Amino acid sequence: EAGVVQSPRYKIIEKKQPVAFWCNPISGHNTLYWYRQNLGQGPELLIRYENEEAVDDSQLPKDRFSAERLKGVDSTLKIQPAELGDSAVYLCASSLTQGANSYNEQFFGPGTRLTVL
Amino acid sequence: GEDVEQSLFLSVREGDSSVINCTYTDSSSTYLYWYKQEPGAGLQLLTYIFSNMDMKQDQRLTVLLNKKDKHLSLRIADTQTGDSAIYFCAENLWIRYIFGTGTRLKVLA
């Protein structure tokens, strides 16, 4: 079974340019997560989807970041315009969520490493 | 508040045991996790422990949980060079994961 797929793996852009990341979760997983991982730190949640609905986007900088999960499967995360501080690894994860108190293993993709010059 | 802390670095010799520590702040977490991240890769789940357990053993891995002190540890027995990676502990708060800062484990041959 294929794992979580992300593309591109690497992206270098100049500041003020737009950028988009794509994620294909594991088939059948209802929950999808986007994380940002800064150098030397743990992942921080940006947004969580339950099927098509964004249920936790409190950490998403909404002035420049947007995300969508059409049809509850693939998802895209967009930054427009990018700033120098957006350089990080953007990780996508998915899980088959069965309740808040259940064991919900998250499966991570390899990430997209963004460098903003 | 939500804060998961780990020491940044650990260096051990091949064959020795490694112990990676983690402290968390929210006692309502139902599960606590240990993830491994190798260079250029995403996070891979190593093991997890339910919050009403004190210990869980899985082959070379032993997880200890002290709920009173909000302390979690991961012991790797007979550490190998392939264990060199960054290890993250994480707690789940109503499906939302809070990750620690990560501990970089270096195994010396």
Side-chain angles (χ1 to χ4, degrees), chain A residues 9-10 31 33 35 37 40-45 48 50 56 58-59 91 95 97 99-111 113, chain B residues 2 8 28-31 33 35 37 39-48 50 86 88 92-102 104:
Chain A
R9 291 294 313 276
Y10 304 91
T31 306
Y33 312 77
Y35 289 89
Q37 185 177 19
Q41 297 183 20
E44 294 180 323
L45 181 70
R48 173 169 65 90
E50 295 291 341
D56 185 354
S58 57
Q59 305 279 69
L91 294 165
S95 68
T97 302
N101 291 321
S102 299
Y103 167 63
N104 298 303
E105 180 179 354
Q106 294 189 22
F107 294 82
F108 283 81
R113 182 177 296 276
Chain B
E2 303 167 352
L8 292 180
S28 61
S29 298
T30 47
Y31 289 91
Y33 305 84
Y35 278 83
Q37 186 176 36
L43 279 71
Q44 174 193 3
L45 180 68
L46 280 180
T47 187
Y48 66 96
F50 189 49
I86 302 176
F88 293 94
N92 79 318
L93 302 174
W94 297 99
I95 305 178
R96 189 185 197 204
Y97 275 36
I98 308 298
F99 285 88
T101 50
R104 183 178 294 273

Side-chain angles (χ1 to χ4, degrees), chain B residues 57-106:
Chain B
Q57 188 151 1
D58 185 0
Q59 299 183 337
R60 291 191 299 123
L61 306 177
T62 303
V63 179
L64 295 178
L65 175 61
N66 182 328
K67 281 199 75 173
K68 176 175 171 290
D69 295 337
K70 298 188 181 70
H71 184 264
L72 182 73
S73 68
L74 173 70
R75 179 177 180 270
I76 306 173
D78 187 25
T79 312
Q80 303 297 306
T81 54
D83 295 324
S84 293
I86 302 176
Y87 290 81
F88 293 94
C89 63
E91 58 175 342
N92 79 318
L93 302 174
W94 297 99
I95 305 178
R96 189 185 197 204
Y97 275 36
I98 308 298
F99 285 88
T101 50
T103 299
R104 183 178 294 273
L105 174 64
K106 183 173 182 180

